[in-house]
Amino acid sequence: MTLSLIHVQPATGTVAALTATGGVAVGGYVHHVWRGLGACATQGLATNPWYPEGVRHALRQGHFAREALQRVVQRDDGASSRQCLVMDANGQSAVHTGHDNLPVIASELRPTAAAAGNMLANEQVVATLLRTFLALSCANPDDVWSRNAPPRYHDGYETHLPETLIEALDAALQAGGDNRGTRSAALRIESFDAAPIDLRVDWDDAPAEALRALVRRVRDPGFAAFLASLPKQ
């Protein structure tokens, strides 16, 4: 199983991703984010680590998420074993789930935020992940969920994205998570006005709590001052 959420804020170019799985070192293989451009999560029965290169190239050429995803899937002889979620700079998303992936399989796509998973304990895991993220981030989560309305994000919500992503993950794991158990988790956030945040728990019996502990260390005044001192682009 792998469970992922990606988020793009078109107004600022901030991009975020969260991933968790029952295997080792999920952060090294699954999610990829590019500020001002988009994101993808490549997972499934067998992850294809070359999808991100093709997706990024297509997005840079100006293709929308659906076109970028179609390009990499069409070139892949093993696409039936893949699940891939892509979002472009406009917050539009697309998902591919091959027929060889193991159930329970689910995906939920909304403007600027989307989630997908496979080998889940139940169908509510992905919905819980995304709905919790929306509830914590925006003022109109019910409209976003039921009517695909554009989210009205809270002022300053980007500042708390690491905590929000972890709370959403925790809710999804409480809803069932991976049917094998969840052992690794990671998040990455890129923006134009701060250094990237790239946190990974490669193996732990409680990866959401371990990720939360890492965020507390990042928020420590000493390390926060170090991050704030880094060049901005």
Side-chain angles (χ1 to χ4, degrees):
M1 161 272 189
T2 307
L3 173 69
S4 296
L5 181 150
I6 57 178
H7 164 59
V8 172
Q9 173 52 276
T12 64
T14 295
V15 183
L18 169 83
T19 309
T21 192
V24 66
V26 69
Y29 303 97
V30 171
H31 63 228
H32 304 264
V33 305
W34 311 289
R35 59 185 177 181
L37 187 63
C40 82
T42 171
Q43 53 198 42
L45 182 64
T47 301
N48 187 326
W50 309 115
Y51 272 21
E53 182 179 356
V55 168
R56 184 178 188 179
H57 181 69
L59 293 177
R60 283 199 178 278
Q61 289 183 316
H63 294 287
F64 294 117
R66 184 173 301 281
E67 298 165 332
L69 179 59
Q70 287 175 343
R71 284 188 164 211
V72 294
V73 170
Q74 288 171 354
R75 298 169 185 164
D76 181 13
D77 292 339
S80 63
S81 299
R82 323 292 186 210
Q83 185 179 55
C84 185
L85 183 63
V86 175
M87 186 170 289
D88 59 38
N90 299 311
Q92 299 177 1
S93 57
V95 65
H96 161 79
T97 300
H99 58 75
D100 287 333
N101 283 285
L102 300 178
V104 171
I105 301 164
S107 59
E108 295 286 353
L109 312 182
R110 299 296 185 276
T112 73
N118 58 85
M119 207 184 296
L120 303 169
N122 59 70
E123 294 181 354
Q124 295 305 311
V125 173
V126 163
T128 299
L129 177 67
L130 187 54
R131 294 194 76 161
T132 302
F133 175 80
L134 293 171
L136 294 172
S137 301
C138 67
N140 60 333
D142 292 338
D143 287 342
V144 177
W145 184 260
S146 61
R147 300 193 295 107
N148 277 327
R152 300 197 307 274
Y153 286 104
H154 299 304
D155 291 341
Y157 86 99
E158 292 183 17
T159 304
H160 309 289
L161 267 176
E163 291 85 354
T164 298
L165 290 168
I166 294 170
E167 289 302 315
L169 172 60
D170 203 21
L173 297 184
Q174 292 296 323
D178 189 327
N179 66 12
R180 305 166 297 171
T182 305
R183 295 294 182 267
S184 67
L187 66 85
R188 183 171 176 88
I189 301 167
E190 292 191 7
S191 69
F192 286 102
D193 60 1
I197 295 177
D198 189 358
L199 304 179
R200 305 179 182 189
V201 175
D202 287 341
W203 188 264
D204 196 280
D205 289 338
E209 186 53 41
L211 203 56
R212 188 176 284 113
L214 283 176
V215 171
R216 287 195 294 267
R217 291 186 177 275
V218 170
R219 299 301 193 192
D220 178 83
F223 192 77
F226 163 73
L227 284 180
S229 72
L230 297 178
K232 300 176 178 62
Q233 190 173 8

